Short mmCIF file of all heavy atoms in Angstrom, two decimals:
data_model
loop_
_atom_site.label_atom_id
_atom_site.label_comp_id
_atom_site.label_asym_id
_atom_site.label_seq_id
_atom_site.Cartn_x
_atom_site.Cartn_y
_atom_site.Cartn_z
N ILE A 20 118.82 148.67 99.98
CA ILE A 20 118.80 147.34 99.39
C ILE A 20 119.52 147.41 98.05
O ILE A 20 119.11 148.16 97.16
CB ILE A 20 117.37 146.82 99.19
CG1 ILE A 20 116.60 146.86 100.51
CG2 ILE A 20 117.38 145.40 98.63
CD1 ILE A 20 115.12 146.56 100.35
N ARG A 21 120.59 146.66 97.91
CA ARG A 21 121.29 146.57 96.63
C ARG A 21 120.81 145.31 95.93
O ARG A 21 120.86 144.21 96.49
CB ARG A 21 122.79 146.53 96.83
CG ARG A 21 123.56 146.22 95.56
CD ARG A 21 125.05 146.37 95.74
NE ARG A 21 125.42 147.77 95.89
CZ ARG A 21 126.70 148.17 95.94
NH1 ARG A 21 127.68 147.30 95.88
NH2 ARG A 21 126.97 149.45 96.07
N LEU A 22 120.34 145.47 94.69
CA LEU A 22 119.76 144.36 93.94
C LEU A 22 120.57 144.07 92.69
O LEU A 22 120.97 144.99 91.97
CB LEU A 22 118.32 144.70 93.51
CG LEU A 22 117.25 144.77 94.61
CD1 LEU A 22 115.94 145.22 94.00
CD2 LEU A 22 117.09 143.44 95.29
N LYS A 23 120.77 142.80 92.45
CA LYS A 23 121.31 142.34 91.18
C LYS A 23 120.16 141.61 90.49
O LYS A 23 119.79 140.51 90.89
CB LYS A 23 122.51 141.41 91.39
CG LYS A 23 123.22 141.02 90.10
CD LYS A 23 124.43 140.16 90.38
CE LYS A 23 125.22 139.89 89.12
NZ LYS A 23 125.83 141.12 88.57
N VAL A 24 119.59 142.24 89.47
CA VAL A 24 118.35 141.77 88.85
C VAL A 24 118.64 141.31 87.42
O VAL A 24 119.40 141.98 86.69
CB VAL A 24 117.26 142.88 88.84
CG1 VAL A 24 115.94 142.32 88.35
CG2 VAL A 24 117.10 143.44 90.24
N ARG A 25 118.00 140.19 87.03
CA ARG A 25 118.17 139.66 85.68
C ARG A 25 116.82 139.14 85.17
O ARG A 25 116.50 137.98 85.31
CB ARG A 25 119.21 138.53 85.67
CG ARG A 25 119.59 138.04 84.27
CD ARG A 25 120.71 137.03 84.38
NE ARG A 25 121.19 136.63 83.08
CZ ARG A 25 120.72 135.58 82.40
NH1 ARG A 25 119.76 134.84 82.92
NH2 ARG A 25 121.21 135.28 81.22
N PRO A 26 116.00 140.02 84.58
CA PRO A 26 114.74 139.56 83.99
C PRO A 26 114.96 139.04 82.56
O PRO A 26 115.86 139.51 81.84
CB PRO A 26 113.86 140.82 83.99
CG PRO A 26 114.85 141.95 83.90
CD PRO A 26 116.10 141.49 84.59
N GLU A 27 114.12 138.10 82.16
CA GLU A 27 114.25 137.51 80.82
C GLU A 27 112.87 137.05 80.35
O GLU A 27 112.10 136.47 81.12
CB GLU A 27 115.21 136.32 80.86
CG GLU A 27 115.34 135.58 79.54
CD GLU A 27 116.28 134.39 79.65
OE1 GLU A 27 117.36 134.55 80.25
OE2 GLU A 27 115.93 133.30 79.15
N VAL A 28 112.57 137.32 79.10
CA VAL A 28 111.32 136.88 78.46
C VAL A 28 111.68 136.15 77.18
O VAL A 28 112.38 136.72 76.32
CB VAL A 28 110.38 138.07 78.17
CG1 VAL A 28 109.13 137.59 77.45
CG2 VAL A 28 110.00 138.79 79.46
N SER A 29 111.24 134.92 77.04
CA SER A 29 111.55 134.13 75.85
C SER A 29 110.27 133.45 75.36
O SER A 29 109.38 133.12 76.15
CB SER A 29 112.62 133.08 76.15
OG SER A 29 112.20 132.22 77.19
N SER A 30 110.19 133.25 74.05
CA SER A 30 109.04 132.61 73.43
C SER A 30 109.53 131.71 72.29
O SER A 30 110.63 131.90 71.77
CB SER A 30 108.04 133.65 72.90
OG SER A 30 108.68 134.51 71.96
N LEU A 31 108.69 130.75 71.91
CA LEU A 31 109.04 129.80 70.87
C LEU A 31 108.93 130.44 69.49
O LEU A 31 108.02 131.22 69.23
CB LEU A 31 108.14 128.57 70.95
CG LEU A 31 108.18 127.78 72.26
CD1 LEU A 31 107.25 126.59 72.19
CD2 LEU A 31 109.59 127.33 72.57
N ASP A 32 109.87 130.11 68.62
CA ASP A 32 109.90 130.63 67.25
C ASP A 32 110.06 129.44 66.30
O ASP A 32 111.16 128.93 66.10
CB ASP A 32 111.06 131.61 67.09
CG ASP A 32 111.12 132.20 65.68
OD1 ASP A 32 110.13 132.06 64.95
OD2 ASP A 32 112.17 132.78 65.33
N TYR A 33 108.94 128.99 65.74
CA TYR A 33 108.98 127.84 64.83
C TYR A 33 109.49 128.22 63.45
O TYR A 33 109.92 127.34 62.70
CB TYR A 33 107.58 127.22 64.73
CG TYR A 33 107.20 126.44 65.97
CD1 TYR A 33 106.49 127.05 66.99
CD2 TYR A 33 107.57 125.11 66.12
CE1 TYR A 33 106.13 126.34 68.14
CE2 TYR A 33 107.22 124.40 67.26
CZ TYR A 33 106.50 125.01 68.25
OH TYR A 33 106.15 124.32 69.39
N ASN A 34 109.41 129.49 63.08
CA ASN A 34 109.88 129.88 61.75
C ASN A 34 111.38 129.67 61.59
O ASN A 34 111.87 129.37 60.50
CB ASN A 34 109.52 131.35 61.48
CG ASN A 34 108.02 131.57 61.41
OD1 ASN A 34 107.28 130.68 61.00
ND2 ASN A 34 107.58 132.74 61.83
N ASN A 35 112.14 129.86 62.65
CA ASN A 35 113.59 129.71 62.60
C ASN A 35 114.06 128.40 63.24
O ASN A 35 115.22 128.25 63.57
CB ASN A 35 114.27 130.88 63.31
CG ASN A 35 114.00 132.20 62.62
OD1 ASN A 35 114.03 132.28 61.40
ND2 ASN A 35 113.74 133.23 63.41
N GLY A 36 113.14 127.45 63.45
CA GLY A 36 113.50 126.18 64.04
C GLY A 36 114.19 125.26 63.05
O GLY A 36 114.38 125.58 61.87
N VAL A 37 114.59 124.10 63.54
CA VAL A 37 115.26 123.09 62.72
C VAL A 37 114.53 121.77 62.89
O VAL A 37 113.79 121.54 63.86
CB VAL A 37 116.74 122.94 63.12
CG1 VAL A 37 117.51 124.23 62.87
CG2 VAL A 37 116.88 122.53 64.58
N THR A 38 114.76 120.88 61.91
CA THR A 38 114.19 119.54 61.94
C THR A 38 115.32 118.53 62.12
O THR A 38 116.26 118.51 61.33
CB THR A 38 113.41 119.24 60.66
OG1 THR A 38 112.37 120.22 60.50
CG2 THR A 38 112.77 117.86 60.72
N LEU A 39 115.23 117.71 63.17
CA LEU A 39 116.27 116.73 63.48
C LEU A 39 115.62 115.40 63.77
O LEU A 39 114.79 115.28 64.69
CB LEU A 39 117.09 117.20 64.70
CG LEU A 39 118.18 116.25 65.19
CD1 LEU A 39 119.25 116.08 64.11
CD2 LEU A 39 118.80 116.78 66.48
N GLU A 40 115.99 114.38 62.94
CA GLU A 40 115.47 113.02 63.11
C GLU A 40 113.94 113.01 63.14
O GLU A 40 113.32 112.26 63.91
CB GLU A 40 116.03 112.41 64.40
CG GLU A 40 117.53 112.24 64.42
CD GLU A 40 118.01 111.19 63.43
OE1 GLU A 40 117.23 110.28 63.11
OE2 GLU A 40 119.17 111.29 62.99
N GLY A 41 113.35 113.85 62.31
CA GLY A 41 111.89 113.89 62.24
C GLY A 41 111.24 114.75 63.29
O GLY A 41 110.00 114.88 63.31
N PHE A 42 112.00 115.36 64.18
CA PHE A 42 111.45 116.22 65.22
C PHE A 42 111.61 117.68 64.81
O PHE A 42 112.68 118.09 64.35
CB PHE A 42 112.17 115.99 66.56
CG PHE A 42 111.98 114.62 67.13
CD1 PHE A 42 112.90 113.62 66.86
CD2 PHE A 42 110.89 114.33 67.93
CE1 PHE A 42 112.75 112.35 67.39
CE2 PHE A 42 110.73 113.07 68.46
CZ PHE A 42 111.65 112.07 68.18
N ARG A 43 110.55 118.44 65.00
CA ARG A 43 110.59 119.87 64.73
C ARG A 43 110.98 120.59 66.01
O ARG A 43 110.23 120.60 67.01
CB ARG A 43 109.22 120.36 64.25
CG ARG A 43 109.17 121.85 63.89
CD ARG A 43 110.04 122.15 62.68
NE ARG A 43 109.93 123.54 62.27
CZ ARG A 43 110.66 124.09 61.32
NH1 ARG A 43 111.55 123.35 60.67
NH2 ARG A 43 110.50 125.36 60.99
N ILE A 44 112.17 121.20 66.03
CA ILE A 44 112.70 121.86 67.22
C ILE A 44 112.61 123.36 67.01
O ILE A 44 113.24 123.90 66.10
CB ILE A 44 114.15 121.45 67.49
CG1 ILE A 44 114.26 119.92 67.57
CG2 ILE A 44 114.65 122.08 68.78
CD1 ILE A 44 115.66 119.44 67.68
N PRO A 45 111.85 124.07 67.83
CA PRO A 45 111.72 125.52 67.64
C PRO A 45 112.94 126.26 68.16
O PRO A 45 113.70 125.77 69.01
CB PRO A 45 110.47 125.87 68.45
CG PRO A 45 110.45 124.84 69.55
CD PRO A 45 111.01 123.58 68.94
N ALA A 46 113.11 127.46 67.64
CA ALA A 46 114.12 128.38 68.18
C ALA A 46 113.49 129.21 69.29
O ALA A 46 112.30 129.08 69.59
CB ALA A 46 114.67 129.27 67.07
N LEU A 47 114.27 130.05 69.92
CA LEU A 47 113.80 130.89 71.01
C LEU A 47 114.04 132.36 70.67
O LEU A 47 115.12 132.74 70.23
CB LEU A 47 114.51 130.56 72.32
CG LEU A 47 114.10 129.27 73.03
CD1 LEU A 47 114.95 129.06 74.28
CD2 LEU A 47 112.64 129.29 73.40
#
């Protein structure tokens, strides 16, 4: 079995987020 695998783990990062039109958008 030949596998092409792509795992990914992401989480929210509010410390590096931005504020746009009053909305707090987190980074990843």
